[in-house]
Amino acid sequence: MQLKNISYSYKELFSFKRKNIFKDLNLKFEENKIYLITAPNGYGKTTLLKIMAGFLIPDKGDVIVNNHLLKNFNPRLVYIVYNYTRRFYWQLTVKENIDFFSGIYHFSYNLNDFEMASDTLMMDRQFINKKFGQLSNGNMMKANLLLCFLSKSKIWLLDEPFVLLDEKSSECLSKILKEEKKQRTIIIASASLKEKEIADEIVYLEKL
């Protein structure tokens, strides 16, 4: 993945002015690596991930994936995990949500894939069959990560994936990501530097 001359701004509330978040930003992310994008809160980390996923269109510049211009969200190429509480339907179980969104995103999985991924994330089977709205915040995050793992996208964009996990689950996720980078590019956005232990490269965002 490559970002070429990315500029992005938004209109400030109660003002005719636009606030610049990025200006002529150039970044390149290689395969089989874990990247950590870090900066204090409010510097645009999540916004950058949304641009990289095709959720937001930059004012200027291009997002290139596999030598092709990324024009919109394509989960078969790039999958993003963010805003964990709003991604799933709260009245559906985790399994029902997985089935629904795998259909929407046009990827398939088998029962063995599902069980292996959920076991790896240390998701008890009782959580899988619970309604999403009944889960703890940590298990909501795991449910979102589960869908990401099943997507098998070549690029994973993860927004603060460790922040809600307990120590044992964090260790588990670290092992998963270090193994999965053999098959894809993993980009983590976090205000914390604790993820640097698993990162191959660190990108520091600067405020304009």
Side-chain angles (χ1 to χ4, degrees):
M1 171 179 277
Q2 189 172 3
L3 307 185
K4 290 186 175 182
N5 300 315
I6 295 293
S7 295
Y8 184 81
S9 62
Y10 66 88
K11 185 178 179 182
E12 292 184 305
L13 193 63
F14 308 121
S15 171
F16 292 105
K17 296 180 180 179
R18 296 190 68 85
K19 181 177 178 61
N20 292 317
I21 305 299
F22 306 112
K23 186 175 182 180
D24 297 323
L25 179 65
N26 290 280
L27 292 171
K28 188 173 183 179
F29 302 94
E30 299 176 0
E31 294 181 2
N32 311 123
K33 285 187 176 182
I34 298 176
Y35 291 86
L36 171 62
I37 298 176
T38 189
N41 292 330
Y43 275 53
K45 297 184 299 298
T46 302
T47 298
L48 183 59
L49 291 191
K50 289 179 180 180
I51 291 172
M52 294 164 69
F55 277 177
L56 291 178
I57 305 301
D59 301 331
K60 186 183 79 170
D62 298 316
V63 178
I64 309 296
V65 179
N66 294 341
N67 297 317
H68 295 287
L69 182 64
L70 184 69
K71 296 182 178 180
N72 48 45
F73 179 52
N74 184 345
R76 284 175 289 183
L77 291 176
V78 183
Y79 194 92
I80 182 171
V81 174
Y82 78 102
N83 204 342
Y84 68 97
T85 62
R86 296 180 62 184
R87 196 64 180 271
F88 284 1
Y89 290 106
W90 285 44
Q91 293 304 311
L92 298 181
T93 66
V94 172
K95 182 65 166 60
E96 289 169 340
N97 271 291
I98 297 292
D99 289 341
F100 175 77
F101 283 104
S102 63
I104 293 293
Y105 296 154
H106 305 292
F107 67 81
S108 60
Y109 69 91
N110 58 44
L111 182 60
N112 188 55
D113 290 336
F114 183 87
E115 291 179 345
M116 284 184 63
S118 56
D119 287 347
T120 302
L121 279 167
M122 298 191 304
M123 291 189 72
D124 193 291
R125 299 295 163 84
Q126 64 175 316
F127 293 127
I128 293 168
N129 294 308
K130 271 189 174 182
K131 290 183 178 181
F132 183 71
Q134 296 176 334
L135 300 182
S136 67
N137 288 339
N139 281 314
M140 284 183 176
M141 175 60 81
K142 287 184 181 181
N144 278 269
L145 290 169
L146 176 60
L147 182 58
C148 175
F149 295 170
L150 292 172
S151 74
K152 300 178 182 176
S153 304
K154 293 302 292 181
I155 300 172
W156 289 352
L157 308 176
L158 309 179
D159 190 19
E160 302 279 5
F162 291 91
V163 70
L164 298 168
L165 302 183
D166 57 46
E167 185 176 352
K168 190 172 182 180
S169 296
S170 294
E171 291 175 358
C172 176
L173 179 57
S174 294
K175 291 179 181 178
I176 295 171
L177 297 182
K178 284 189 283 188
E179 182 65 27
E180 288 292 335
K181 77 173 184 179
K182 298 174 183 177
Q183 304 179 63
R184 55 186 46 84
T185 303
I186 299 172
I187 303 169
I188 300 170
S190 175
S192 168
L193 278 174
K194 68 179 182 180
E195 288 89 348
K196 69 180 180 181
E197 296 177 2
I198 64 169
D200 298 295
E201 294 192 27
I202 301 177
V203 176
Y204 296 93
L205 291 184
E206 296 182 359
K207 199 166 189 176
L208 292 181

